[in-house]
Amino acid sequence: MALLSKSDQPDIVDGMVEYVTMSVLALHRDLVPYIAMQRSQGWQQMRILPASSCHVGVLGLGVLGQAASQKLAGFGFQVAGWSGSRYEIDGIACSAGPDEMAEFLARSEILVCLPPPAGEARIGLDATLFAKLPRGAKLLSAGGRDHLDQDALLAALDDGQVSAAVLDVSSEAQLPKGHALWTDPRVLITSHIVGMI
């Protein structure tokens, strides 16, 4: 499929790209553990690696995923994208369909989850998906509600399969007060600011 136009909703697209860029850079540069260290008044030096050494996978290549992929590639990240339908995007390794999902996930050191193109089903972020990521992978979930298995994410964090996560939460019903994710030091939560400008 060809690139889609963002002319209909440029503010939403630009806001999403800014949010994704901020979050991927934060995950890549270990901001989540540094925040936890600050809170505990502890200190541990983290290894700094160039963006060019990091594989980022973008799950969902609609207008938002296409724009975010291209921006991340501009920072030097090795970016791949997956969608239910085949896309061709300059500089992005594109995968499509269920047969190519496992290989896409296996290379995604940072997985970015965005809304899929219109007409495509959301992919559930669950234990099966987390198990296919490289050990210690990092997660950005900015794809709206009802697709993240919160208990599976907590289990993956406890197991070390996932090392950090940034979650954009759209409502209190999606993540109620008192839920363990709110205070987990490996998780950074924002309150539905993905596309706001």
Side-chain angles (χ1 to χ4, degrees), residues 34 46 98 115 134-135 138 142-143 190-191 197:
Y34 276 122
M46 308 290 283
R135 186 155 184 82
K138 299 166 184 176
T190 58
S191 55
I197 287 191

Side-chain angles (χ1 to χ4, degrees), residues 11-26:
D11 290 347
I12 292 173
V13 174
D14 291 344
M16 174 69 85
V17 169
E18 288 178 8
Y19 182 86
V20 169
T21 303
M22 171 197 73
S23 300
V24 169
L25 287 169

Side-chain angles (χ1 to χ4, degrees), residues 145-166:
R145 58 180 183 233
D146 301 331
H147 71 292
L148 174 63
D149 183 332
Q150 297 164 351
D151 292 336
L153 175 58
L154 282 169
L157 287 162
D158 289 341
D159 180 61
Q161 181 62 20
V162 174
S163 62
V166 176

Side-chain angles (χ1 to χ4, degrees), residues 1 6 26 58 70 74 92 107 115 126 140 166 174 181 192:
M1 294 180 78
K6 69 172 193 173
V58 177
Q70 291 176 313
I92 310 300
R107 71 176 300 283
D126 56 19
L140 165 58
V166 176
Q174 183 184 357
L181 286 173
H192 198 43

